[in-house]
Amino acid sequence: QKQYDTLISINVIEHVQDAFQYLTALYVSLKPGGILIFHDRYYSNAQITDGDIYHPIRIKQKVLDHFLSRFDIIFNNCNADYDGRKDSGYYVIARKR
C-alpha cells in the first residue's frame, strides 16, 4: 500500500459507514514521521444515526483520543467553534510516530 508524507482529513468520519476502518486506513496510509492535518467532531453519545444517509454515525471523544495517541501533537484546538454551533471536536496537526 502506498504511503504519503502528508494527509488531510477534514470533517470525514460522520460521513463514512465504518469509522474504525477509516481511521485505520488513514493511519496506515501515512508514513512514519508524516504529518496529519485532521479535523472532526465528537459527540457525547455515539450512535448510528437512523435514516440520515449522509451522516450515518457519530463517535465519542475517546475514539479520537485513542487514534491521536499514536501521534505527536504539533497543534491542537479542541475548543474550536464550528460555524457557531459550539460542537466539540479536534482540529489537530500531528506527526505520526
Side-chain angles (χ1 to χ4, degrees):
Q1 178 173 342
K2 189 168 183 163
Q3 289 188 305
Y4 299 92
D5 295 320
T6 304
L7 291 174
I8 300 171
S9 175
I10 298 175
N11 192 25
V12 174
I13 293 176
E14 67 185 1
H15 299 282
V16 302
Q17 295 294 321
D18 187 333
F20 299 111
Q21 182 181 15
Y22 175 74
L23 292 172
T24 299
L26 193 63
Y27 182 81
V28 169
S29 298
L30 189 62
K31 291 179 181 176
I35 298 294
L36 174 65
I37 301 168
F38 180 86
H39 165 271
D40 235 304
R41 295 176 181 91
Y42 54 80
Y43 297 85
S44 58
N45 62 346
Q47 63 185 21
I48 297 174
T49 58
D50 187 32
D52 187 348
I53 61 171
Y54 300 112
H55 303 91
I57 63 169
R58 302 286 188 258
I59 62 169
K60 287 189 170 187
Q61 181 180 7
K62 66 182 178 179
V63 173
L64 294 182
D65 287 346
H66 177 72
F67 171 69
L68 293 171
S69 72
R70 304 178 80 181
F71 293 83
D72 293 321
I73 305 301
I74 298 168
F75 174 83
N76 181 11
N77 181 6
C78 63
N79 295 314
D81 180 359
Y82 305 108
D83 303 327
R85 293 181 283 174
K86 302 292 185 192
D87 292 334
S88 298
Y90 286 125
Y91 172 51
V92 172
I93 300 172
R95 183 178 320 276
K96 181 180 176 181
R97 291 188 190 124

